[in-house]
Amino acid sequence: MNLKSIQVLEKAGEAGQLSDTAVINLKQWLTTDDMPEWAIDSLNELIKSQQWEELNDRFYKDITFGTGGMRGRTIGKLVTSAEKGTAGKKETNEWPMAGSNALNDFTLVRATTALFKHVTNYLAEQERFETPSLVIAHDVRHFSRRFCMLAASVWNELGGMSLVFDGPRSTPQLSFAVRFRKTHAGIVITASHNPPHDNGFKAYFEDGAQVVSPHAEGIVEQYVGMELKEIIPLLGVRQDEVQVLPKEDDLQYLNVVSQAALDPNLIEAVKPKVVFTPIHGTGAISTIPVLWELGMEPIVVDQQSKPDPDFPTVKSPNPENAEALEMGIKLARKTGASAVIATDPDSDRMGVAVFDAQKKVKYLNGNEIGAMLTEYRLTRLKELGCLPDNGTKQAVIIKTFVTTPLVETIANKHNVKCVNTLTGFKWTGEKIRKYQEVLEENLIKDYGIKINFDETDYYSRLDLGLNYSKAFIFACEESYGYLPYDFVRDKDANASTIAFCEMLSDLENKNTTPIEYLNTIYENYGYYNQFTLNLYFSGASGADKIKRIVESYLNNPPKELGEYKISNHINYGEAGHRDEDKSPIPTESFHVLSLEKGYSYAVRASGTEPKIKFYIFGNAKVDNDLSLKEAKVSVNANINTIVELIEKDAQDRAQ
């Protein structure tokens, strides 16, 4: 019993140096039997040195297990000597940070156990007498391999069967592996593009998509109801009991990634000159081999091709950030490449930079990339005779509410359906699953035919969808996520890179550039722009500020922003909203506000980072009255004004 430390904690709580919940959580850790020595030593070290801010951040709450998983720090702002352990100066610490609000052995075991319990209950309800099976992937981050093996050990110890890869793999490959191996669930250990000190846990169900209702709520219920004493016996890694997947699984995934090319012969014939960087992550494992297979010779940024959990060449391993592409741009100028393509550490997001005729660089944002790929793929499928020239509403484009309306405008002009979803590719995965279920039901009903959908190729799926259900064409989100096929049920930067390179081949074949192509889209459909305002509020006090902003939009929504009157306010926290398929939209703390003069913005708190996000939209027609240049100036100036007004309003609401 750590009586002295507990007495010190209680005094710190009374003095307001620690929150009440931090004191409760700390006392629970210090008084639970059989806690690992390194964890207790870490806490005593921080208490002795009176590191109250650090302790408060580590213990003011339990790390949130959201509907798809969790992300958090695995390395503290202050690293204790117990956590550093025997690790060398540039090595990963021996132990992750101790804390209830951290991604560590304790929270990893808790999440894995919650997933196992839910899967077990689900199988029992379905009267499926099967051993719960799981496949796990991980990226290159600190503790990723450890967490992967620990999760596999926990699953086996609880009575299940787990499979892991022999090293880092991308998130989309995990989604594919769940379907290929027909497991009941999947886990990927990643914090995507977060800073190096973070890691995360994402849960997938047997359809290969991130969990949605009712599974998400079922897992959260199990997670919340678990006590610390249940976790302790499962903390050990039992590596000998874990099965490693064969190379066949990699080959199967690479085969489907290659099918992201609608016309692979075009890539081989033109071979666009492209610089590629995985930014120290998993993109090199899957993207580069497929580019080679399709006949391309990507110019790889060598300094960023080696996996490294510290991402030493960038401030942030996020392809959304221009700085992360700087090395690639220098290499592109040196080699005469037409584009730079970058993927994030778990290779589910893709960023692109291109050059104009004067070799000036343009960083394409997620909305621009999504619009370009939407236009290209719809046009190309019509040229190939795979879609009717006049379109069909059986073909579907999927985007999130916070992705540019330009994508929907393009879809409408091509006479294909565009479905808007809440933020997160799990909703795209759910849509694809439902389309597949309808397809299989109709084939059985009409012809008595039961097909193995997973063994069909891209064009067979497209044809079947058009005739017996809906044909999924493309999905995108503003935050650099895209999906050009339905073999995977999550965003896939490996496949998106292939799709973008094919588009580059087509543009080069037509003697035009990506920037000219984008401007042509604007001239045909109107100029659209968007700005995403991220307001960060870290730690316990930051969480309170985010909560105040969110609650204020419910209790006191804005009536105006400067000279802009609010003409409409949709609160998706209220039930009753339906999408373009007439399906109910799940409730979520998410607001869309329409302004006068054709502008709008959306508000949502991030589920994975300590921030609240505002998405500001604007557009203008391009015609004889307003040139493209004039439209850009007008729309962008108005968006900048609205951004300033929203930020001031949000800061006031945070107080």
Side-chain angles (χ1 to χ4, degrees):
M1 185 77 70
N2 296 272
L3 291 177
K4 185 176 180 180
S5 291
I6 290 173
Q7 290 172 350
V8 174
L9 287 177
E10 290 174 340
K11 288 182 180 179
E14 292 168 1
Q17 295 167 311
L18 286 175
S19 69
D20 292 343
T21 53
V23 173
I24 292 169
N25 288 334
L26 275 160
K27 287 170 69 174
Q28 184 183 30
W29 275 54
L30 290 169
T31 58
T32 297
D33 293 337
D34 300 321
M35 284 288 285
E37 185 177 350
W38 69 268
I40 297 300
D41 288 346
S42 291
L43 301 189
N44 284 330
E45 183 178 331
L46 292 169
I47 293 167
K48 185 177 181 180
S49 57
Q50 298 186 4
Q51 299 294 341
W52 307 129
E53 183 177 354
E54 177 73 10
L55 284 166
N56 211 42
D57 286 347
R58 290 185 181 213
F59 284 95
Y60 79 95
K61 67 171 185 175
D62 285 350
I63 188 172
T64 302
F65 192 99
T67 55
M70 57 189 182
R71 285 188 206 172
R73 292 191 75 110
T74 195
I75 298 173
K77 294 177 184 177
L78 297 176
V79 177
T80 68
S81 59
E83 290 163 353
K84 185 64 178 176
T86 59
K89 187 175 181 181
K90 293 188 177 182
E91 294 177 338
T92 297
N93 298 335
E94 185 175 2
W95 301 103
M97 65 183 281
S100 60
N101 183 36
L103 206 293
N104 53 36
D105 291 7
F106 300 90
T107 50
L108 190 284
V109 168
R110 186 179 181 183
T112 305
T113 305
L115 178 60
F116 180 88
K117 288 182 176 181
H118 175 72
V119 169
T120 302
N121 291 343
Y122 170 74
L123 293 175
E125 291 169 2
Q126 297 285 312
E127 295 185 350
R128 293 165 58 182
F129 305 105
E130 305 163 10
T131 300
S133 57
L134 173 76
V135 61
I136 312 172
H138 66 85
D139 66 6
V140 304
R141 288 179 173 272
H142 292 290
F143 299 104
S144 278
R145 185 64 180 178
R146 173 184 179 79
F147 292 155
C148 170
M149 299 306 291
L150 179 56
S153 298
V154 169
W155 196 270
N156 291 350
E157 185 73 10
L158 293 171
M161 186 275 290
S162 62
L163 299 163
V164 302
F165 292 94
D166 61 5
R169 295 295 190 279
S170 65
T171 288
Q173 184 164 356
L174 181 278
S175 173
F176 175 78
V178 170
R179 298 180 60 78
F180 179 66
R181 283 289 166 180
K182 294 180 170 52
T183 60
H184 300 114
I187 294 171
V188 61
I189 306 297
T190 180
S192 191
H193 54 278
N194 279 32
H197 53 63
D198 284 0
N199 213 324
F201 174 106
K202 290 170 71 174
Y204 292 73
F205 221 64
E206 58 187 343
D207 62 343
Q210 286 190 65
V211 292
V212 295
S213 183
H215 305 301
E217 292 84 356
I219 298 167
V220 171
E221 182 180 351
Q222 294 289 347
Y223 181 86
V224 171
M226 201 174 309
E227 296 184 16
L228 189 58
K229 64 182 179 181
E230 297 178 64
I231 295 169
I232 305 300
L234 296 169
L235 286 173
V237 175
R238 292 159 288 279
Q239 191 161 331
D240 294 342
E241 302 173 11
V242 178
Q243 295 184 49
V244 178
L245 291 164
K247 290 296 181 183
E248 175 195 359
D249 289 62
D250 291 320
L251 297 176
Q252 292 289 340
Y253 175 63
L254 295 179
N255 175 59
V256 302
V257 171
S258 68
Q259 294 184 61
L262 298 174
D263 185 0
N265 294 329
L266 179 61
I267 295 179
E268 186 173 16
V270 179
K271 290 185 177 67
K273 204 169 189 179
V274 171
V275 167
F276 176 77
T277 172
I279 318 182
H280 303 288
T282 58
I285 297 169
S286 298
T287 301
I288 293 174
V290 176
L291 290 172
W292 286 339
E293 184 68 24
L294 292 171
M296 282 187 60
E297 298 175 1
I299 304 164
V300 180
V301 181
D302 288 338
Q303 303 97 312
Q304 296 178 331
S305 64
K306 182 181 178 181
D308 192 319
D310 290 318
F311 314 114
T313 64
V314 294
K315 293 178 182 177
S316 167
N318 188 348
E320 295 184 40
N321 299 335
E323 178 269 336
L325 277 67
E326 282 184 2
M327 280 190 167
I329 289 167
K330 289 179 182 178
L331 187 56
R333 293 190 187 282
K334 183 178 179 180
T335 59
S338 61
V340 177
I341 299 178
T343 55
D344 66 347
D346 67 322
S347 201
D348 65 349
R349 298 178 191 235
M350 176 191 76
V352 180
V354 294
F355 301 91
D356 63 17
Q358 288 73 44
K359 295 300 179 183
K360 183 179 178 181
V361 68
K362 173 175 174 57
Y363 299 93
L364 297 175
N365 63 44
N367 288 305
E368 292 168 332
I369 296 169
M372 292 168 75
L373 287 175
T374 300
E375 171 70 4
Y376 172 74
R377 293 181 80 81
L378 287 173
T379 301
R380 190 65 179 142
L381 284 169
K382 288 182 176 181
E383 292 172 349
L384 293 169
C386 300
L387 286 178
D389 288 341
N390 61 348
T392 170
K393 293 299 183 180
Q394 300 304 112
V396 180
I397 299 291
I398 301 176
K399 76 173 191 70
T400 63
F401 284 112
V402 298
T403 300
T404 175
L406 175 57
V407 170
E408 186 167 5
T409 300
I410 293 170
N412 290 338
K413 287 291 180 69
H414 279 277
N415 192 33
V416 303
K417 177 176 279 191
C418 182
V419 176
N420 286 276
T421 71
L422 296 172
T423 303
F425 257 78
K426 61 187 177 184
W427 305 115
T428 292
E430 181 187 45
K431 281 290 178 187
I432 296 173
R433 173 176 59 80
K434 289 181 177 179
Y435 296 156
Q436 179 183 337
E437 288 173 351
V438 171
L439 165 64
E440 292 172 341
E441 289 169 4
N442 285 339
L443 285 174
I444 291 173
K445 181 181 67 176
D446 294 344
Y447 302 102
I449 297 174
K450 184 178 175 69
I451 67 166
N452 188 332
F453 190 76
D454 288 333
E455 292 185 359
T456 57
D457 62 21
Y458 176 83
Y459 284 106
S460 296
R461 291 167 179 242
L462 185 62
D463 188 58
L464 286 165
L466 290 173
N467 286 287
Y468 302 106
S469 179
K470 296 286 195 303
F472 170 76
I473 304 297
F474 182 67
C476 58
E477 64 179 5
E478 47 73 41
S479 54
Y480 295 69
Y482 326 95
L483 183 62
Y485 53 28
D486 62 358
F487 297 103
V488 166
R489 304 298 165 88
D490 204 349
K491 51 187 176 285
D492 188 340
N494 303 307
S496 300
T497 298
I498 305 305
F500 197 89
C501 286
E502 182 191 359
M503 185 183 72
L504 290 176
S505 297
D506 186 67
L507 296 178
E508 191 171 320
N509 205 35
K510 294 174 179 175
N511 198 30
T512 189
T513 67
I515 295 175
E516 291 169 339
Y517 184 58
L518 180 60
N519 285 335
T520 299
I521 290 173
Y522 289 146
E523 288 166 355
N524 291 337
Y525 298 105
Y527 176 68
Y528 288 73
N529 201 6
Q530 174 182 331
F531 184 85
T532 302
L533 173 65
N534 295 302
L535 296 182
Y536 288 85
F537 300 95
S538 60
S541 60
D544 289 338
K545 291 181 179 179
I546 292 173
K547 183 179 179 181
R548 282 196 287 271
I549 295 173
V550 170
E551 289 180 347
S552 75
Y553 267 82
L554 288 172
N555 303 324
N556 183 31
K559 301 292 189 296
E560 60 187 18
L561 285 172
E563 65 181 45
Y564 296 91
K565 301 292 184 183
I566 307 292
S567 59
N568 192 36
H569 177 188
I570 302 175
N571 173 16
Y572 285 95
E574 297 175 344
H577 300 288
R578 291 184 176 270
D579 65 21
E580 290 77 4
D581 283 333
K582 309 300 181 187
S583 300
I585 298 172
T587 57
E588 184 177 288
S589 180
F590 171 60
H591 302 261
V592 177
L593 297 94
S594 299
L595 310 178
E596 294 178 332
K597 304 178 183 179
Y599 292 83
S600 62
Y601 75 100
V603 186
R604 63 180 287 269
S606 172
T608 56
E609 297 178 79
K611 65 182 179 182
I612 189 163
K613 304 182 77 169
F614 297 85
Y615 308 82
I616 300 90
F617 306 88
N619 69 84
K621 289 182 179 180
V622 177
D623 51 29
N624 294 332
D625 295 327
L626 196 65
S627 69
L628 177 56
K629 183 177 180 180
E630 291 169 331
K632 288 182 177 181
V633 171
S634 174
V635 170
N636 296 345
N638 289 335
I639 286 178
N640 288 338
T641 299
I642 294 168
V643 168
E644 292 176 1
L645 293 169
I646 289 174
E647 182 167 10
K648 181 180 184 305
D649 179 68
Q651 294 292 355
D652 291 342
R653 291 171 181 271
Q655 304 308 314

